[in-house]
mmCIF file of all heavy atoms in Angstrom:
data_model
loop_
_atom_site.group_PDB
_atom_site.id
_atom_site.type_symbol
_atom_site.label_atom_id
_atom_site.label_comp_id
_atom_site.label_asym_id
_atom_site.label_seq_id
_atom_site.Cartn_x
_atom_site.Cartn_y
_atom_site.Cartn_z
ATOM 1 N N MET X 1 1.811 -9.890 -14.310
ATOM 2 C CA MET X 1 2.646 -10.959 -14.844
ATOM 3 C C MET X 1 3.664 -11.376 -13.776
ATOM 4 O O MET X 1 4.242 -10.524 -13.079
ATOM 5 C CB MET X 1 3.364 -10.488 -16.105
ATOM 6 C CG MET X 1 2.444 -10.070 -17.237
ATOM 7 S SD MET X 1 1.379 -11.418 -17.826
ATOM 8 C CE MET X 1 2.600 -12.518 -18.559
ATOM 9 N N VAL X 2 3.862 -12.663 -13.637
ATOM 10 C CA VAL X 2 4.740 -13.180 -12.589
ATOM 11 C C VAL X 2 6.156 -12.637 -12.788
ATOM 12 O O VAL X 2 6.725 -12.704 -13.890
ATOM 13 C CB VAL X 2 4.736 -14.717 -12.592
ATOM 14 C CG1 VAL X 2 5.687 -15.252 -11.512
ATOM 15 C CG2 VAL X 2 3.332 -15.250 -12.361
ATOM 16 N N HIS X 3 6.744 -12.121 -11.704
ATOM 17 C CA HIS X 3 8.079 -11.529 -11.759
ATOM 18 C C HIS X 3 9.111 -12.615 -12.102
ATOM 19 O O HIS X 3 9.029 -13.740 -11.601
ATOM 20 C CB HIS X 3 8.428 -10.895 -10.411
ATOM 21 C CG HIS X 3 9.543 -9.926 -10.470
ATOM 22 N ND1 HIS X 3 10.869 -10.307 -10.636
ATOM 23 C CD2 HIS X 3 9.558 -8.557 -10.398
ATOM 24 C CE1 HIS X 3 11.641 -9.242 -10.652
ATOM 25 N NE2 HIS X 3 10.867 -8.151 -10.510
ATOM 26 N N PRO X 4 10.092 -12.307 -12.953
ATOM 27 C CA PRO X 4 11.116 -13.304 -13.301
ATOM 28 C C PRO X 4 11.829 -13.879 -12.077
ATOM 29 O O PRO X 4 12.169 -15.072 -12.057
ATOM 30 C CB PRO X 4 12.083 -12.517 -14.196
ATOM 31 C CG PRO X 4 11.247 -11.441 -14.806
ATOM 32 C CD PRO X 4 10.249 -11.070 -13.751
ATOM 33 N N ASN X 5 12.056 -13.063 -11.051
ATOM 34 C CA ASN X 5 12.721 -13.577 -9.849
ATOM 35 C C ASN X 5 11.870 -14.652 -9.159
ATOM 36 O O ASN X 5 12.402 -15.634 -8.619
ATOM 37 C CB ASN X 5 13.005 -12.439 -8.866
ATOM 38 C CG ASN X 5 14.087 -11.515 -9.368
ATOM 39 O OD1 ASN X 5 14.867 -11.880 -10.261
ATOM 40 N ND2 ASN X 5 14.160 -10.308 -8.808
ATOM 41 N N VAL X 6 10.548 -14.473 -9.168
ATOM 42 C CA VAL X 6 9.658 -15.471 -8.559
ATOM 43 C C VAL X 6 9.730 -16.778 -9.342
ATOM 44 O O VAL X 6 9.743 -17.870 -8.761
ATOM 45 C CB VAL X 6 8.211 -14.934 -8.497
ATOM 46 C CG1 VAL X 6 7.253 -16.006 -7.984
ATOM 47 C CG2 VAL X 6 8.134 -13.688 -7.618
ATOM 48 N N LEU X 7 9.792 -16.687 -10.681
ATOM 49 C CA LEU X 7 9.936 -17.894 -11.493
ATOM 50 C C LEU X 7 11.245 -18.612 -11.164
ATOM 51 O O LEU X 7 11.280 -19.846 -11.069
ATOM 52 C CB LEU X 7 9.889 -17.535 -12.977
ATOM 53 C CG LEU X 7 8.526 -17.026 -13.507
ATOM 54 C CD1 LEU X 7 8.676 -16.546 -14.954
ATOM 55 C CD2 LEU X 7 7.474 -18.124 -13.426
ATOM 56 N N ARG X 8 12.298 -17.851 -10.962
ATOM 57 C CA ARG X 8 13.591 -18.470 -10.624
ATOM 58 C C ARG X 8 13.506 -19.170 -9.272
ATOM 59 O O ARG X 8 14.002 -20.295 -9.117
ATOM 60 C CB ARG X 8 14.683 -17.411 -10.609
ATOM 61 C CG ARG X 8 15.015 -16.826 -11.982
ATOM 62 C CD ARG X 8 16.255 -15.936 -11.935
ATOM 63 N NE ARG X 8 16.501 -15.303 -13.226
ATOM 64 C CZ ARG X 8 16.101 -14.071 -13.534
ATOM 65 N NH1 ARG X 8 15.440 -13.331 -12.635
ATOM 66 N NH2 ARG X 8 16.357 -13.569 -14.733
ATOM 67 N N TYR X 9 12.895 -18.518 -8.273
ATOM 68 C CA TYR X 9 12.751 -19.155 -6.969
ATOM 69 C C TYR X 9 11.897 -20.429 -7.066
ATOM 70 O O TYR X 9 12.082 -21.369 -6.295
ATOM 71 C CB TYR X 9 12.099 -18.192 -5.973
ATOM 72 C CG TYR X 9 13.060 -17.189 -5.377
ATOM 73 C CD1 TYR X 9 12.885 -15.817 -5.607
ATOM 74 C CD2 TYR X 9 14.124 -17.602 -4.596
ATOM 75 C CE1 TYR X 9 13.757 -14.885 -5.059
ATOM 76 C CE2 TYR X 9 15.014 -16.671 -4.047
ATOM 77 C CZ TYR X 9 14.822 -15.325 -4.274
ATOM 78 O OH TYR X 9 15.697 -14.402 -3.728
ATOM 79 N N GLY X 10 11.000 -20.459 -8.023
ATOM 80 C CA GLY X 10 10.166 -21.649 -8.220
ATOM 81 C C GLY X 10 10.848 -22.725 -9.047
ATOM 82 O O GLY X 10 10.243 -23.773 -9.308
ATOM 83 N N GLY X 11 12.077 -22.468 -9.470
ATOM 84 C CA GLY X 11 12.816 -23.467 -10.232
ATOM 85 C C GLY X 11 12.538 -23.447 -11.708
ATOM 86 O O GLY X 11 12.819 -24.438 -12.402
ATOM 87 N N LEU X 12 11.996 -22.348 -12.241
ATOM 88 C CA LEU X 12 11.666 -22.248 -13.659
ATOM 89 C C LEU X 12 12.547 -21.186 -14.323
ATOM 90 O O LEU X 12 12.949 -20.203 -13.696
ATOM 91 C CB LEU X 12 10.192 -21.883 -13.844
ATOM 92 C CG LEU X 12 9.159 -22.847 -13.242
ATOM 93 C CD1 LEU X 12 7.744 -22.311 -13.467
ATOM 94 C CD2 LEU X 12 9.298 -24.249 -13.836
ATOM 95 N N ASP X 13 12.803 -21.397 -15.584
ATOM 96 C CA ASP X 13 13.617 -20.468 -16.369
ATOM 97 C C ASP X 13 12.718 -19.367 -16.925
ATOM 98 O O ASP X 13 11.839 -19.633 -17.762
ATOM 99 C CB ASP X 13 14.292 -21.219 -17.502
ATOM 100 C CG ASP X 13 15.218 -20.315 -18.328
ATOM 101 O OD1 ASP X 13 15.309 -19.099 -18.018
ATOM 102 O OD2 ASP X 13 15.839 -20.824 -19.277
ATOM 103 N N PRO X 14 12.890 -18.107 -16.485
ATOM 104 C CA PRO X 14 12.028 -17.024 -16.986
ATOM 105 C C PRO X 14 12.219 -16.735 -18.465
ATOM 106 O O PRO X 14 11.362 -16.065 -19.069
ATOM 107 C CB PRO X 14 12.442 -15.820 -16.130
ATOM 108 C CG PRO X 14 13.813 -16.138 -15.643
ATOM 109 C CD PRO X 14 13.875 -17.621 -15.502
ATOM 110 N N ASP X 15 13.301 -17.214 -19.079
ATOM 111 C CA ASP X 15 13.468 -17.038 -20.522
ATOM 112 C C ASP X 15 12.620 -18.039 -21.304
ATOM 113 O O ASP X 15 12.402 -17.851 -22.507
ATOM 114 C CB ASP X 15 14.941 -17.205 -20.900
ATOM 115 C CG ASP X 15 15.798 -16.085 -20.328
ATOM 116 O OD1 ASP X 15 15.266 -14.955 -20.196
ATOM 117 O OD2 ASP X 15 16.966 -16.338 -19.998
ATOM 118 N N GLU X 16 12.163 -19.100 -20.621
ATOM 119 C CA GLU X 16 11.348 -20.125 -21.283
ATOM 120 C C GLU X 16 9.883 -20.039 -20.876
ATOM 121 O O GLU X 16 8.989 -20.252 -21.708
ATOM 122 C CB GLU X 16 11.897 -21.518 -20.951
ATOM 123 C CG GLU X 16 11.140 -22.647 -21.650
ATOM 124 C CD GLU X 16 11.717 -24.019 -21.307
ATOM 125 O OE1 GLU X 16 12.680 -24.079 -20.504
ATOM 126 O OE2 GLU X 16 11.207 -25.025 -21.856
ATOM 127 N N TYR X 17 9.643 -19.729 -19.621
ATOM 128 C CA TYR X 17 8.264 -19.714 -19.106
ATOM 129 C C TYR X 17 7.872 -18.316 -18.642
ATOM 130 O O TYR X 17 8.708 -17.514 -18.221
ATOM 131 C CB TYR X 17 8.120 -20.691 -17.931
ATOM 132 C CG TYR X 17 8.315 -22.141 -18.319
ATOM 133 C CD1 TYR X 17 9.501 -22.805 -18.000
ATOM 134 C CD2 TYR X 17 7.330 -22.827 -19.009
ATOM 135 C CE1 TYR X 17 9.691 -24.124 -18.360
ATOM 136 C CE2 TYR X 17 7.505 -24.155 -19.371
ATOM 137 C CZ TYR X 17 8.681 -24.802 -19.045
ATOM 138 O OH TYR X 17 8.868 -26.100 -19.413
ATOM 139 N N GLN X 18 6.606 -18.066 -18.732
ATOM 140 C CA GLN X 18 6.039 -16.828 -18.215
ATOM 141 C C GLN X 18 4.627 -17.130 -17.730
ATOM 142 O O GLN X 18 4.076 -18.202 -18.001
ATOM 143 C CB GLN X 18 6.022 -15.739 -19.285
ATOM 144 C CG GLN X 18 5.207 -16.100 -20.531
ATOM 145 C CD GLN X 18 5.423 -15.097 -21.644
ATOM 146 O OE1 GLN X 18 6.499 -14.535 -21.796
ATOM 147 N NE2 GLN X 18 4.366 -14.879 -22.431
ATOM 148 N N GLY X 19 4.062 -16.220 -17.002
ATOM 149 C CA GLY X 19 2.718 -16.476 -16.474
ATOM 150 C C GLY X 19 2.131 -15.248 -15.820
ATOM 151 O O GLY X 19 2.746 -14.177 -15.758
ATOM 152 N N PHE X 20 0.926 -15.395 -15.359
ATOM 153 C CA PHE X 20 0.267 -14.293 -14.658
ATOM 154 C C PHE X 20 -0.380 -14.827 -13.376
ATOM 155 O O PHE X 20 -0.662 -16.028 -13.245
ATOM 156 C CB PHE X 20 -0.762 -13.590 -15.547
ATOM 157 C CG PHE X 20 -1.827 -14.490 -16.126
ATOM 158 C CD1 PHE X 20 -2.998 -14.775 -15.417
ATOM 159 C CD2 PHE X 20 -1.675 -15.036 -17.395
ATOM 160 C CE1 PHE X 20 -3.981 -15.588 -15.957
ATOM 161 C CE2 PHE X 20 -2.654 -15.853 -17.942
ATOM 162 C CZ PHE X 20 -3.809 -16.135 -17.223
ATOM 163 N N ALA X 21 -0.594 -13.912 -12.456
ATOM 164 C CA ALA X 21 -1.184 -14.263 -11.160
ATOM 165 C C ALA X 21 -2.126 -13.148 -10.737
ATOM 166 O O ALA X 21 -2.018 -12.001 -11.207
ATOM 167 C CB ALA X 21 -0.094 -14.484 -10.114
ATOM 168 N N TRP X 22 -3.041 -13.473 -9.837
ATOM 169 C CA TRP X 22 -3.955 -12.476 -9.296
ATOM 170 C C TRP X 22 -4.360 -12.883 -7.886
ATOM 171 O O TRP X 22 -4.187 -14.032 -7.478
ATOM 172 C CB TRP X 22 -5.190 -12.332 -10.186
ATOM 173 C CG TRP X 22 -6.100 -13.537 -10.158
ATOM 174 C CD1 TRP X 22 -7.160 -13.751 -9.345
ATOM 175 C CD2 TRP X 22 -6.004 -14.698 -10.990
ATOM 176 N NE1 TRP X 22 -7.745 -14.969 -9.607
ATOM 177 C CE2 TRP X 22 -7.046 -15.561 -10.619
ATOM 178 C CE3 TRP X 22 -5.133 -15.073 -12.026
ATOM 179 C CZ2 TRP X 22 -7.239 -16.796 -11.243
ATOM 180 C CZ3 TRP X 22 -5.337 -16.300 -12.633
ATOM 181 C CH2 TRP X 22 -6.375 -17.150 -12.244
ATOM 182 N N GLY X 23 -4.875 -11.936 -7.151
ATOM 183 C CA GLY X 23 -5.324 -12.207 -5.790
ATOM 184 C C GLY X 23 -6.451 -11.277 -5.392
ATOM 185 O O GLY X 23 -6.511 -10.115 -5.816
ATOM 186 N N MET X 24 -7.371 -11.804 -4.574
ATOM 187 C CA MET X 24 -8.500 -11.003 -4.083
ATOM 188 C C MET X 24 -8.945 -11.548 -2.734
ATOM 189 O O MET X 24 -8.679 -12.713 -2.391
ATOM 190 C CB MET X 24 -9.660 -11.034 -5.087
ATOM 191 C CG MET X 24 -10.332 -12.385 -5.230
ATOM 192 S SD MET X 24 -11.574 -12.417 -6.533
ATOM 193 C CE MET X 24 -10.532 -12.523 -7.988
ATOM 194 N N GLY X 25 -9.618 -10.720 -1.964
ATOM 195 C CA GLY X 25 -10.146 -11.146 -0.672
ATOM 196 C C GLY X 25 -11.500 -11.824 -0.835
ATOM 197 O O GLY X 25 -12.440 -11.224 -1.378
ATOM 198 N N ILE X 26 -11.602 -13.077 -0.398
ATOM 199 C CA ILE X 26 -12.876 -13.801 -0.503
ATOM 200 C C ILE X 26 -13.936 -13.133 0.356
ATOM 201 O O ILE X 26 -15.093 -12.985 -0.052
ATOM 202 C CB ILE X 26 -12.677 -15.274 -0.095
ATOM 203 C CG1 ILE X 26 -11.756 -15.982 -1.098
ATOM 204 C CG2 ILE X 26 -14.018 -15.998 -0.011
ATOM 205 C CD1 ILE X 26 -11.442 -17.418 -0.738
ATOM 206 N N ASP X 27 -13.531 -12.689 1.555
ATOM 207 C CA ASP X 27 -14.488 -12.020 2.431
ATOM 208 C C ASP X 27 -15.036 -10.750 1.766
ATOM 209 O O ASP X 27 -16.228 -10.449 1.874
ATOM 210 C CB ASP X 27 -13.817 -11.664 3.759
ATOM 211 C CG ASP X 27 -13.001 -12.812 4.316
ATOM 212 O OD1 ASP X 27 -11.878 -13.015 3.820
ATOM 213 O OD2 ASP X 27 -13.486 -13.502 5.216
ATOM 214 N N ARG X 28 -14.155 -10.033 1.093
ATOM 215 C CA ARG X 28 -14.562 -8.773 0.461
ATOM 216 C C ARG X 28 -15.553 -9.011 -0.677
ATOM 217 O O ARG X 28 -16.574 -8.324 -0.773
ATOM 218 C CB ARG X 28 -13.328 -8.023 -0.056
ATOM 219 C CG ARG X 28 -13.659 -6.762 -0.828
ATOM 220 C CD ARG X 28 -12.409 -5.945 -1.122
ATOM 221 N NE ARG X 28 -12.665 -4.862 -2.052
ATOM 222 C CZ ARG X 28 -13.282 -3.732 -1.754
ATOM 223 N NH1 ARG X 28 -13.724 -3.544 -0.527
ATOM 224 N NH2 ARG X 28 -13.466 -2.793 -2.661
ATOM 225 N N ILE X 29 -15.255 -9.971 -1.545
ATOM 226 C CA ILE X 29 -16.188 -10.194 -2.661
ATOM 227 C C ILE X 29 -17.497 -10.805 -2.161
ATOM 228 O O ILE X 29 -18.548 -10.625 -2.785
ATOM 229 C CB ILE X 29 -15.547 -11.063 -3.769
ATOM 230 C CG1 ILE X 29 -15.209 -12.472 -3.272
ATOM 231 C CG2 ILE X 29 -14.316 -10.371 -4.335
ATOM 232 C CD1 ILE X 29 -14.708 -13.388 -4.372
ATOM 233 N N ALA X 30 -17.452 -11.522 -1.018
ATOM 234 C CA ALA X 30 -18.698 -12.007 -0.418
ATOM 235 C C ALA X 30 -19.538 -10.835 0.088
ATOM 236 O O ALA X 30 -20.763 -10.792 -0.111
ATOM 237 C CB ALA X 30 -18.393 -12.971 0.726
ATOM 238 N N MET X 31 -18.875 -9.865 0.722
ATOM 239 C CA MET X 31 -19.576 -8.672 1.192
ATOM 240 C C MET X 31 -20.180 -7.897 0.031
ATOM 241 O O MET X 31 -21.314 -7.404 0.113
ATOM 242 C CB MET X 31 -18.615 -7.783 1.986
ATOM 243 C CG MET X 31 -18.125 -8.380 3.289
ATOM 244 S SD MET X 31 -16.831 -7.390 4.063
ATOM 245 C CE MET X 31 -17.743 -5.917 4.516
ATOM 246 N N LEU X 32 -19.441 -7.774 -1.060
ATOM 247 C CA LEU X 32 -19.930 -7.023 -2.212
ATOM 248 C C LEU X 32 -21.134 -7.694 -2.854
ATOM 249 O O LEU X 32 -22.115 -7.035 -3.218
ATOM 250 C CB LEU X 32 -18.808 -6.877 -3.248
ATOM 251 C CG LEU X 32 -17.623 -5.975 -2.868
ATOM 252 C CD1 LEU X 32 -16.561 -6.016 -3.948
ATOM 253 C CD2 LEU X 32 -18.095 -4.545 -2.626
ATOM 254 N N LYS X 33 -21.086 -9.009 -2.982
ATOM 255 C CA LYS X 33 -22.167 -9.708 -3.686
ATOM 256 C C LYS X 33 -23.426 -9.820 -2.836
ATOM 257 O O LYS X 33 -24.543 -9.678 -3.351
ATOM 258 C CB LYS X 33 -21.695 -11.092 -4.116
ATOM 259 C CG LYS X 33 -22.755 -11.870 -4.906
ATOM 260 C CD LYS X 33 -22.211 -13.178 -5.450
ATOM 261 C CE LYS X 33 -23.253 -13.915 -6.270
ATOM 262 N NZ LYS X 33 -22.740 -15.183 -6.847
ATOM 263 N N TYR X 34 -23.266 -10.089 -1.540
ATOM 264 C CA TYR X 34 -24.422 -10.396 -0.703
ATOM 265 C C TYR X 34 -24.780 -9.288 0.286
ATOM 266 O O TYR X 34 -25.625 -9.480 1.152
ATOM 267 C CB TYR X 34 -24.183 -11.718 0.037
ATOM 268 C CG TYR X 34 -24.087 -12.880 -0.922
ATOM 269 C CD1 TYR X 34 -22.885 -13.547 -1.123
ATOM 270 C CD2 TYR X 34 -25.189 -13.282 -1.666
ATOM 271 C CE1 TYR X 34 -22.791 -14.607 -2.022
ATOM 272 C CE2 TYR X 34 -25.108 -14.330 -2.566
ATOM 273 C CZ TYR X 34 -23.906 -14.985 -2.742
ATOM 274 O OH TYR X 34 -23.820 -16.028 -3.636
ATOM 275 N N GLY X 35 -24.136 -8.117 0.164
ATOM 276 C CA GLY X 35 -24.570 -6.948 0.918
ATOM 277 C C GLY X 35 -24.336 -7.008 2.407
ATOM 278 O O GLY X 35 -25.181 -6.544 3.179
ATOM 279 N N MET X 36 -23.206 -7.550 2.838
ATOM 280 C CA MET X 36 -22.897 -7.614 4.268
ATOM 281 C C MET X 36 -22.049 -6.401 4.648
ATOM 282 O O MET X 36 -20.969 -6.202 4.094
ATOM 283 C CB MET X 36 -22.150 -8.913 4.571
ATOM 284 C CG MET X 36 -22.921 -10.144 4.120
ATOM 285 S SD MET X 36 -21.871 -11.592 3.998
ATOM 286 C CE MET X 36 -22.926 -12.703 3.068
#
């Protein structure tokens, strides 16, 4: 879940808005799927 401080830096009120984020390596999932 997005940290309240990050929401503040983005100009949003963490008491009103919330959200989630994720990240992954494209190269890594390409290696996993296609066997490189």
